Amino acid sequence: MSAHFLLLLAASVSPGVQNILPAEFERVVQAELTQAGSTSAVRGKAIADAYAQLHAAAHATGLDALSDSDLDLLLRAARKLQVYRPQERVERDMAAVVDVLVRRGTQSAVHLQTWFDAAIATRKFATATSILLAHPQIGRPPPPKVLDADITLDGVPVYALADDGQSLLRRRVPAQSGRWLVVVSSPGCGFSTRAAKDLHDSELFRARLAERNVSAAWLQPVEKTLDIAGARRWRDQHPDFPLYWASAQHDWPQLETWDTPGFYLFQHGQLIGAASGWHDTRDGIQAVLSLLEQIPTR
């Protein structure tokens, strides 16, 4: 921890208030560093375990009794957890911390941005809009307008890019029935875009999908930002590869990790195989074809 940061901590402590969370926050930091070479799922679990200890220590004292610097650490730890496990519970933790800081008049733009980003990640667009209306100085773009699809289907809730290229369309992917290849991907991930191009150009891949009656859906992870421009580019380049935003991680409990790209084959809602990564065109296509071979032709 830098000397400059320690000075900032000391400067933000009210007279008679002692910082009690630095050690617990350091456990959160070390949990991420120790699992740096692991999958995002493993890192997320390690951070969640350390965050639980930090959260318990904070609430044993009570948020109002914590120093500003402790509240800052609590918010920073929640932000780390939200990267790997975006959850409404953690967003509510952030809201409670920011509420105390706002009542004290000691909130910063970063505190508000952190809460705003968590609201976007948990798809609480009304909350994000309220934050921005109350604090326009934080410099975040307004949440997109969300529309409902004309036809409501059974399935897993997702968001798609609306026809206007600006709004989101609330839809459902019927992944609990039939055969589905769900590809966790992102327009901002070079490996994902390369995989999409290679598979788009592969007649064998298209034939394998058709002969086994497999539908494909490209699913963006739950993140703190919505890359609308990237989704437009994807639609222009791969109009027959529908791209969605996941609504929540818990909607897809079968997914081992949200690292991109990841390929998950479902049959009637059951995960029957998975593959990950994309470093070589030939090997990547072959891995996906081998995955599809796990189900018989129709």
Side-chain angles (χ1 to χ4, degrees):
M1 192 174 293
S2 70
H4 176 66
F5 180 65
L6 289 173
L7 286 173
L8 289 177
L9 285 180
S12 64
V13 180
S14 302
V17 178
Q18 181 181 5
N19 289 320
I20 64 172
L21 298 186
E24 284 76 10
F25 176 75
E26 186 61 24
R27 291 190 185 95
V28 176
V29 173
Q30 290 304 316
E32 183 177 32
L33 292 176
T34 302
Q35 300 297 336
S38 305
T39 65
S40 60
V42 172
R43 289 197 300 277
K45 183 181 186 308
I47 292 171
D49 291 343
Y51 176 80
Q53 297 181 51
L54 174 65
H55 185 270
H59 284 266
T61 301
L63 296 183
D64 284 317
L66 294 177
S67 66
D68 289 350
S69 56
D70 272 348
L71 292 173
D72 178 75
L73 292 179
L74 188 56
L75 198 60
R76 290 170 59 195
R79 180 174 60 187
K80 283 184 178 294
L81 181 56
Q82 279 287 79
V83 170
Y84 298 97
R85 291 187 173 183
Q87 302 173 40
E88 289 190 13
R89 176 182 62 81
V90 182
E91 184 274 332
R92 289 194 297 270
D93 290 349
M94 292 184 179
V97 171
V98 173
D99 178 65
V100 176
L101 292 169
V102 169
R103 283 192 280 110
R104 293 179 183 177
T106 55
Q107 84 281 2
S108 69
V110 172
H111 296 145
L112 296 165
Q113 289 166 351
T114 297
W115 182 24
F116 178 93
D117 294 344
I120 293 293
T122 52
R123 310 317 190 205
K124 297 178 71 172
F125 298 125
T127 296
T129 299
S130 297
I131 296 169
L132 197 57
L133 287 174
H135 307 280
Q137 73 277 12
I138 67 175
R140 288 290 192 259
K145 182 179 180 180
V146 180
L147 311 171
D148 285 312
D150 293 333
I151 301 175
T152 301
L153 300 173
D154 292 332
V156 183
V158 296
Y159 293 91
L161 185 66
D163 291 340
D164 63 8
Q166 298 289 339
S167 307
L168 298 185
L169 187 65
R170 194 182 285 111
R171 295 194 54 189
R172 289 181 178 271
V173 173
Q176 300 98 329
S177 60
R179 298 167 174 177
W180 284 86
L181 178 65
V182 175
V183 187
V184 177
S185 53
S186 170
C189 168
F191 294 113
S192 293
T193 55
R194 182 176 175 184
K197 181 182 183 305
D198 291 342
L199 291 173
H200 185 273
D201 295 341
S202 173
E203 294 184 5
L204 188 56
F205 169 68
R206 295 173 179 275
R208 192 65 52 85
L209 288 178
E211 69 187 13
R212 284 168 167 75
N213 196 26
V214 176
S215 300
W218 298 71
L219 184 68
Q220 297 185 73
V222 182
E223 297 175 321
K224 66 181 182 179
T225 57
L226 298 168
D227 186 0
I228 302 293
R232 286 198 300 267
R233 290 194 302 271
W234 183 285
R235 185 170 65 183
D236 292 342
Q237 296 169 1
H238 313 294
D240 50 351
F241 282 2
L243 179 68
Y244 305 105
W245 283 274
S247 179
Q249 284 187 353
H250 60 70
D251 291 333
W252 303 89
Q254 307 94 330
L255 300 192
E256 300 169 355
T257 176
W258 289 85
D259 295 338
T260 58
F263 302 85
Y264 298 89
L265 185 62
F266 291 86
Q267 183 163 249
H268 304 305
Q270 299 297 314
L271 180 66
I272 62 175
S276 62
W278 199 273
H279 298 280
D280 177 82
T281 298
R282 184 179 62 181
D283 292 346
I285 292 176
Q286 185 55 54
V288 174
L289 294 179
S290 297
L291 182 62
L292 293 172
E293 287 173 358
Q294 298 186 47
I295 56 178
T297 58
R298 55 179 175 176

